[in-house]
Amino acid sequence: MSIGEMLAATVPMARTLNLQFLETTPERAVVALPDQNEYHNHVGGPHAGAMFTLGESASGAIVLAAFGDQLARAVPLAVSAEIAYKKLAMGPLTATATLGRPAAEVVAELDEGRRPEFPVSIAIRREDGAVTGEMSVVWTLRPNG
């Protein structure tokens, strides 16, 4: 099962919004939000909550891609998130997530018995490439037990 399939199967909100996981690697995750009238806001574009969910889902996809091999000993958890809405979002959107720290550095902290935190940056774009939102999610790997 791919990371996108796993997230769609285990995260009801990802299914609800019909998110499409286009790319999930340890270096980058790209997730699409189709244009759907039932998730529009008062100006006819994607609702801010749908955009937030899109960005957070992209961040979760890259976390699983980068640290999936650590799941037997740690649980990934979002610690905090910020989003800035930059331009009017209309039509389908994509969110591209990138890790803000090298994965090896994060795993080294986990190996030392610490609970590492690391940022994930997300750019949300319209079809024309314009950035409509920028988001940052801080994640942690909480050791099991």
Side-chain angles (χ1 to χ4, degrees):
M1 180 181 293
S2 72
I3 290 171
E5 291 167 337
M6 181 178 72
L7 285 171
T10 60
V11 180
M13 195 62 170
R15 281 193 316 274
T16 297
L17 291 177
N18 300 306
L19 298 182
Q20 301 163 352
F21 294 84
L22 306 177
E23 180 182 340
T24 52
T25 70
E27 292 77 35
R28 184 172 112 127
V30 181
V31 180
L33 173 67
D35 187 24
Q36 302 163 92
N37 288 337
E38 60 269 32
Y39 304 116
H40 280 178
N41 59 20
H42 62 289
V43 294
H47 189 278
M51 290 176 64
F52 184 95
T53 300
L54 170 65
E56 194 276 343
S57 297
S59 77
I62 197 169
V63 167
L64 287 175
F67 303 108
D69 60 340
Q70 304 300 318
L71 294 180
R73 66 180 185 144
V75 176
L77 298 169
V79 174
S80 64
E82 282 187 10
I83 191 165
Y85 301 100
K86 299 292 191 178
K87 291 187 179 203
L88 185 60
M90 299 298 279
L93 301 175
T94 58
T96 302
T98 55
L99 286 179
R101 287 180 59 197
E105 185 179 289
V106 174
V107 172
E109 280 187 34
L110 189 61
D111 289 342
E112 294 167 1
R114 300 186 358 222
R115 182 177 169 165
E117 290 190 0
F118 53 94
V120 175
S121 298
I122 305 101
I124 301 171
R125 290 183 171 82
R126 298 185 303 222
E127 277 188 312
D128 66 3
V131 174
T132 63
E134 293 175 342
M135 188 170 180
S136 177
V137 180
V138 176
W139 286 82
T140 188
L141 295 179
R142 185 190 75 197
N144 295 334

